[in-house]
Amino acid sequence: MRLDDVDAYVRMRCDPAMMTELGGPQSADRMPDKVRRDVAEAEADLAWIQMIVPDPADPAEVAGNVVIWTHELAGAPISEIGWMVLPEYQGRGYAKRAVRLLLARARDERRWGEVHAFPGVGNAASNGVCRSVGFRLLGPTDTEYAGRTMRTNHWVVDPATDLVT
């Protein structure tokens, strides 16, 4: 995660197709501030924000990102993971590998405890990622994201015991 990841954020968060399951596109003029906040959170170790880089020899090429952070849900703290993969990289296993790697790190560092994911009920690819790495489906729920309410599936995994490698 770097300050120059603004273009990747715009491509991920401001594109109507990318944001279909997340309540619609966000405003591009808000992305520089979002990147600054995310860089600050990552540097303070409050969140793990990893850009998905297909070729380590070309770190400027970004396929998406995967993030673990903590927030409150129904008055209690939970750890959540989310990911986005740009359309031209979808279907190549980048999301599954990135999610598995970040959860393995969480397991190895004994951090985050149980990790929750909330993909849209219609997002077959992201629900498939959850299923394939060892999440348990708790059921559908309404989830707030970027000030919008959407119907999601609630998944949970304990990286220490449930992670499928």
Side-chain angles (χ1 to χ4, degrees):
M1 178 84 237
R2 304 176 320 218
L3 289 173
D4 60 357
D5 286 326
V6 172
D7 181 59
Y9 267 52
V10 168
R11 292 181 62 217
M12 288 185 288
R13 295 169 178 265
C14 303
D15 178 86
M18 283 289 299
M19 297 298 290
T20 297
E21 293 289 334
L22 294 170
Q26 297 177 7
S27 173
D29 63 337
R30 296 176 57 196
M31 291 305 106
D33 185 54
K34 173 65 174 153
V35 169
R36 278 191 295 279
R37 287 192 323 263
D38 282 1
V39 167
E41 282 190 23
E43 288 176 350
D45 200 31
L46 298 174
W48 288 352
I49 305 170
Q50 301 291 311
M51 301 310 280
I52 300 170
V53 177
D55 180 3
D58 184 10
E61 181 185 358
V62 173
N65 71 357
V66 59
V67 180
I68 295 180
W69 72 102
T70 300
H71 63 91
E72 284 200 9
L73 180 67
I78 69 162
S79 298
E80 182 174 342
I81 190 168
W83 56 90
M84 300 179 101
V85 176
L86 292 163
E88 63 267 31
Y89 297 99
Q90 291 174 4
R92 299 188 203 178
Y94 287 117
K96 186 184 334 183
R97 282 191 299 275
V99 168
R100 190 175 283 134
L101 283 170
L102 208 58
L103 290 173
R105 179 180 169 199
R107 176 198 62 215
D108 296 346
E109 295 188 22
R110 294 184 179 106
R111 182 154 176 206
W112 304 105
E114 287 188 331
V115 178
H116 301 256
F118 297 92
V121 293
N123 189 332
S126 287
N127 283 288
V129 167
C130 289
R131 191 175 300 106
S132 71
V133 300
F135 282 82
R136 295 179 316 279
L137 179 60
L138 299 181
T141 189
D142 290 328
T143 302
E144 291 280 328
Y145 177 78
R148 300 167 182 152
T149 301
M150 66 199 93
R151 194 71 173 156
T152 62
N153 280 325
H154 184 179
W155 296 84
V156 66
V157 67
D158 183 339
T161 59
D162 302 334
L163 187 60
V164 175
T165 55

